[in-house]
Structure formats: C-alpha cells, structure tokens
Amino acid sequence: MAHPLFGPEVRMMLLEQNAPGMKAFVETLNPTTVADVLAGDSFTTEEVWEVLEKADPRVQAKVFEYFPMEWQVRLAEGGGRPQMARLIELMSHDDRVNLLRRLPAQVSDALLRLVDEADRRDIAALSRYGENTVGAIMTSDYAWLPADLTAQQAIERLRAQAPDRETIYYVYIVDEQTRKMLGILTLRALVLADPGTPVRRLMLTDDLVTLKASADRETAADALRRYGLIAIPVLDDEGRLVGIVTHDDIIEVISEEATEDLQKQGAVGPFRGNYLQTGLFTIWRKRAVWLCLLFGAELATFTAMALFDEALQAILVLSLFVPLCLSTGGNSGSQAATIITRELALGHIRVRDWWQVLRHEVVMGVLLGMTLGTIGLFRGASTSEELRSARKEMEGPIQVVVPHDRPLQRDGRGGYVVPEGTPIAVREPVKRTTHATPPAEPERTTREGETVYTFPAATEVRTETVGRWRFGLVIALSVAFICLWGTLIGSMLPLIFNKVGADPALASSPFVATFVDVTGIVAYFLIATALLF
C-alpha cells in the first residue's frame, strides 16, 4: 500500500537526484518502514536499487531482508550481480538461503560464483536441509565460546563477535574439537558474574531445550510456544551444534503454518505470497482441484435422492426440507472439525485421546441434536396441509386395478380412494392412500377376478395428507440424527488424518460437509420412509 508521507518524498528525491536525501531516508528510518515504502508505492526495480545503493551495504542488506519475498526475487533478478552478491554476504544466513531457494537456478548459480568462499560453504551447508525442516529456517550466525574461559575473557571475545551475530542474548558453550554443545550461557549471567568466574560454572547444562535440524519446522513453533525463548539451539544427529532458530523466524513459521491450515480448511490448495500478486492460473489450479473433487463427491447426493424418488413424489414437502437437514450436518461437522484440528495443533489432545473425544462429542452431538430437533419439530408441524401431500393432474388416462370384491370407495368429494398398495398406472403399488378425482366418471371393466378403473386425462391424483405432528417428528429425528452424525464425523476425521500422517487441516469444512451431505440424505429419507410409509 502506498505510503502517504514518505512515498511522494522518495519520488521527489529520485526526480531531483537527491543522493544525500535518499541516503538519509534509507539509513535513518526503520528498515521495515523503508522496505514498506519502496515495495508499496509502485516504484520500479531500477528505482528501488537507485535508492538503496546510496546507503551503506550493511544497511542495504538489513532493508533488503524486510522486502516481501516476491520483491526480493525481483530485485535479485534485476540488480547488478556483484552488488547483489555483496548483499547476500551481508544478509542473515537463513534469509539468504531462503532467497536463493526461490531464485531461478541460473540466477542463483551466477550469484554464488561471486560470493565469498566461506559464505558459499555456509549457504551449501544450510541448503542441504529440506524446505519444511528446522534446518531450513535456522541460522549459523550464532555466538559461541569455549568452556575454558573466565567471565572477563568471555565478555571480551563476545564483544568481538557481537557485530556479526544475529543475537547475543544466549551464548552457546561448545567443545572446539567436536562442536558438541556443552551448555548455554545467558548474557545476563555473564554480565553479572565476577570477572574471574569460569564459564563452566556459569553455563546451564540441565534440561536444555534443543531442536533437531532434520525435524519438522512446526516443532520449533511448539518449542517457542511452550518455553518462550528468544532463540533455540539446533543440533544435528550426532549432537553437534549447527545453528540456532530465532524467535522472529519461528513467528514467521507460525504465520505461514496458520495460513496454510486456513487454506486447507477452506478446501484451497496452499499457496505462498500475496493473493493479488499470485498468478491467476495458480489460484485457479489451487481452487479448482479441490472444487472438482468435492463436486464429484456431491454427485453422490443426486444418486442418493434418486433412490427415494417415489417418496418424494408421494410427499413433495420432503424435498423442501433437504437443504435444512443437510446444512445442519455440515455446520455441526465443520464446528467439530475446526475445534479438534485446533486442539491438535495446540497439543491439548493427542490421537490416543480419541475415545475421550468420541464420548465427549457423542454427548455434545445429542444435546445439539435435541436443541435443533426441537426447533425442527415445530417447523415441520407448521407446514401447510397442502405441502404435506402430493397433488398432480395426470396428462393422460390412468388405470387402477383392484380385486373384484373390493371396489374403489368414494371419498365424498367427487373422487375415489385408492388404498395403499393398489397398482396404479403401470401396475406399481402406491406408497400412500391416494385420492383420484376425475373430470368424468371412470370406465369400469372386469377381468380375471379384477376390476380395472380407467380414469380419463386431467384426473387429479392426491396423496393422503401426512399428520402435522407426525411430519414434525420426521424432521426432528432427522435433524437430531444428522447433527449427531456430523459432529462425530467432524471430530474423528482430524484424528484419523493425523494417525495416518496426513495434515488434520485436510478435514476441512467443505470436506466434512460433503461427506455428511451424502450420508445424511440417506439417513433423512430412511427415517421419513420408516415413519410415513
């Protein structure tokens, strides 16, 4: 977003070629503010470089780190190779590796050839770790000391290291031969100690919080959340200190993981970067894949409804309550899935707690089902009498076949009562007692012990009206059961996904809703068939 104050000022400096002003702008303001102004005011890559190059290289590197990743890539591709290589040498070790991962291979190779040999080795060491591991977000830019120093000697050596280190609040005591970590020394303890006190007596050695370089980066976020540390040491499989993970990098991980989980819960394939700056095709692909899968699954709803076509024809109002029942299951399932997924992320529950979760959600599902079912009972009972039956005017003649000794009875309103189970039209038995009101008297013929009534075209066929409270009970039981079913599915799916090694966030609201829709519609019509036919 354009900065209302600094943006116009920088643009004026560019027009006037005010080099001292541009230098003061970059070196005086907070690096975050400088990066926000240059990235948010429609400056070109050349203009951004023109402003940055007026400042000291160390300041340039600090500002560069605060640009959004897409801007860092654009600047790296558009700037001079020697200048960019110098910035890479001065950047934080983890940030420069992250940048080089996202550059085209030919650009990163060209830059690495210009980077100092020591920095090149450090980049190669950090780059060997997988992108979502702790090693990928750690920095090798940490303060360390041997154990055979006094407090005074340690302070003098630390003073020499401090300008080039990411943080000095924690100093890591390391065996110089094996690089194995012996302990951690806090800056507070070091400053307050007597000058002659050995470092061995000051360092912490018990219950040290460490991370494995090969572990998933979410473990770093969990450790920060639990222990509230500024930085956490990272060890390799042999116990050697290879780097540290700082709080700012972990906060970034937490933000990225939360964004990814929200995208998955919305049935969107995870993507990085700014929404408006991400390619339209990329967004389409991330959304279309899931939508196609869910659409294909929802087709099963059509198949399920087709199985109960006769029930729908007999009682038309059943179709009107389908959205109500299905949304109940989707909403209750989405609620449960969201709660359980978040509880898993926070570590409040584990997969082994599935039985407790199941018992809890059964009770919750019953209570929620009773609450919604009560509302459904009164809403179903308030449905008009006309909707609680099916009325249709036949386009052609129809035949009703009854035993010779049981002729059709008149209903007192000009029509005939067709008993339940009587073959009609194509000799299929009617599901409910039906009233047929013809515009004229039907023809009656007798054959082989049967009486055939031929009703003329335009005969009105109407099923017997369902009782008010009987229909309300169908809606109440259906809503209650589907609510319970959705709650159980929504609570168990994240645990199942976690058990098989998948991300629990995949148990997204659309995924749960689709699954409950298909199964819920079957339950709805089974309950309706059992109570009404």
Side-chain angles (χ1 to χ4, degrees):
M1 186 176 68
H3 197 287
L5 177 61
F6 296 124
E9 287 290 329
V10 173
R11 197 166 294 283
M12 184 63 69
M13 292 178 195
L14 286 168
L15 290 174
E16 297 175 352
Q17 290 296 297
N18 184 355
M22 287 185 274
K23 177 180 174 67
F25 167 72
V26 177
E27 294 185 350
T28 304
L29 296 178
N30 187 287
T32 305
T33 302
V34 176
D36 288 344
V37 171
L38 296 178
D41 276 83
S42 303
F43 292 106
T44 65
T45 302
E46 292 75 16
E47 289 173 333
V48 172
W49 273 121
E50 186 177 349
V51 175
L52 288 178
E53 65 186 9
K54 303 298 189 296
D56 180 81
R58 290 186 180 277
V59 178
Q60 291 183 44
K62 183 60 67 176
V63 172
F64 189 90
E65 292 173 2
Y66 286 98
F67 277 97
M69 182 52 64
E70 58 270 16
W71 258 98
Q72 290 188 24
V73 172
R74 287 168 57 184
L75 291 170
E77 292 177 334
R81 295 288 188 265
Q83 181 182 14
M84 191 63 226
R86 176 59 177 155
L87 284 190
I88 288 176
E89 291 176 352
L90 297 173
M91 287 175 66
S92 299
H93 294 200
D94 52 337
D95 289 334
R96 67 187 182 186
V97 171
N98 192 31
L99 170 62
L100 290 169
R101 286 179 188 272
R102 284 161 174 72
L103 289 175
Q106 64 271 23
V107 177
S108 61
D109 290 343
L111 290 173
L112 284 173
R113 282 195 291 269
L114 301 175
V115 171
D116 180 76
E117 177 65 27
D119 289 302
R120 193 157 59 242
R121 286 197 302 268
D122 179 75
I123 291 170
L126 293 179
S127 299
R128 64 184 180 170
Y129 297 104
E131 188 169 358
N132 291 318
T133 63
V134 171
I137 61 171
M138 74 179 182
T139 177
S140 55
D141 198 11
Y142 56 88
W144 70 275
L145 295 170
D148 56 355
L149 300 177
T150 64
Q152 181 63 38
Q153 293 170 327
I155 290 176
E156 292 174 358
R157 186 173 296 193
L158 187 60
R159 185 179 293 115
Q161 293 185 30
D164 299 320
R165 295 295 179 258
E166 182 132 343
T167 178
I168 60 170
Y169 294 109
Y170 298 131
V171 183
Y172 303 95
I173 311 304
V174 177
D175 186 301
E176 292 188 88
Q177 300 299 321
T178 64
R179 301 301 300 172
K180 291 190 175 182
M181 190 175 72
L182 304 177
I184 298 177
L185 177 62
T186 65
L187 183 61
R188 177 188 178 89
L190 181 60
V191 171
L192 296 178
D194 289 333
T197 305
V199 166
R200 288 185 181 275
R201 290 175 52 188
L202 299 174
M203 67 182 184
L204 304 173
T205 58
D206 297 328
D207 298 325
L208 299 180
V209 179
T210 61
L211 298 168
K212 286 288 186 182
S214 57
D216 189 282
R217 65 180 190 171
E218 287 193 36
T219 60
D222 293 337
L224 177 71
R225 189 183 298 114
R226 290 183 62 189
Y227 301 106
L229 300 174
I230 297 175
I232 304 175
V234 181
L235 310 180
D236 63 12
D237 293 335
E238 284 74 39
R240 294 174 297 197
L241 181 65
V242 292
I244 62 171
V245 175
T246 55
H247 67 286
D248 56 328
D249 294 316
I250 296 177
I251 290 173
E252 186 176 342
V253 168
I254 293 173
S255 176
E256 290 179 0
E257 293 294 337
T259 300
E260 183 177 319
D261 287 346
L262 286 173
Q263 289 169 342
K264 289 179 178 178
Q265 288 178 352
V268 177
F271 63 91
R272 294 174 181 250
N274 188 304
Y275 166 74
L276 293 177
Q277 295 176 351
T278 303
L280 183 63
F281 178 78
T282 300
I283 299 293
W284 170 82
R285 179 168 52 84
K286 296 291 186 179
R287 298 174 67 172
V289 170
W290 273 101
L291 285 177
C292 289
L293 290 174
L294 295 173
F295 182 77
E298 283 285 7
L299 291 177
T301 305
F302 170 79
T303 304
M305 289 187 68
L307 296 175
F308 299 95
D309 179 62
E310 293 181 4
L312 284 172
Q313 291 185 18
I315 306 176
L316 181 62
V317 74
L318 285 176
S319 63
L320 302 182
F321 281 84
V322 167
L324 173 68
C325 293
L326 296 191
S327 64
T328 298
N331 292 338
S332 63
S334 298
Q335 275 190 343
T338 300
I339 292 172
I340 300 303
T341 299
R342 188 57 184 161
E343 292 299 293
L344 283 170
L346 295 175
H348 294 168
I349 61 175
R350 298 286 186 268
V351 175
R352 63 173 179 267
D353 301 323
W354 70 271
W355 179 243
Q356 289 178 269
V357 174
L358 181 63
R359 287 188 304 173
H360 186 276
E361 289 302 311
V362 166
V363 175
M364 183 59 62
V366 169
L367 293 175
L368 292 173
M370 291 173 61
T371 303
L372 297 179
T374 301
I375 300 173
L377 173 67
F378 289 101
R379 180 61 188 89
S382 65
T383 306
S384 66
E385 181 178 341
E386 183 179 356
L387 289 176
R388 283 183 277 114
S389 65
R391 189 186 303 269
K392 182 178 181 182
E393 187 176 285
M394 308 304 295
E395 296 179 358
I398 59 171
Q399 290 185 333
V400 178
V401 182
V402 296
H404 182 64
D405 57 345
R406 283 184 287 174
L408 294 180
Q409 303 296 316
R410 304 300 291 258
D411 60 5
R413 292 182 292 182
Y416 291 81
V417 178
V418 182
E420 182 178 333
T422 301
I424 185 172
V426 290
R427 291 184 136 334
E428 291 183 358
V430 294
K431 295 292 186 180
R432 293 181 57 80
T433 300
T434 302
H435 296 258
T437 306
E441 283 299 313
E443 296 182 8
R444 185 185 309 183
T445 58
T446 303
R447 64 187 184 193
E448 300 178 359
E450 294 179 332
T451 300
V452 179
Y453 292 83
T454 303
F455 290 83
T459 296
E460 183 185 84
V461 177
R462 178 178 56 84
T463 57
E464 190 173 64
T465 302
V466 178
R468 179 184 305 276
W469 294 106
R470 191 176 182 186
F471 183 75
L473 181 62
V474 169
I475 301 303
L477 291 178
S478 299
V479 167
F481 176 81
I482 293 173
C483 181
L484 172 61
W485 177 242
T487 301
L488 295 180
I489 294 298
S491 62
M492 290 295 105
L493 275 180
L495 296 174
I496 293 173
F497 283 12
N498 198 357
K499 178 65 176 179
V500 301
D503 192 337
L506 288 173
S508 60
S509 298
F511 185 91
V512 172
T514 300
F515 186 86
V516 175
D517 280 356
V518 177
T519 52
I521 201 167
V522 174
Y524 171 54
F525 281 111
L526 286 176
I527 292 172
T529 301
L531 295 182
L532 300 180
F533 299 100

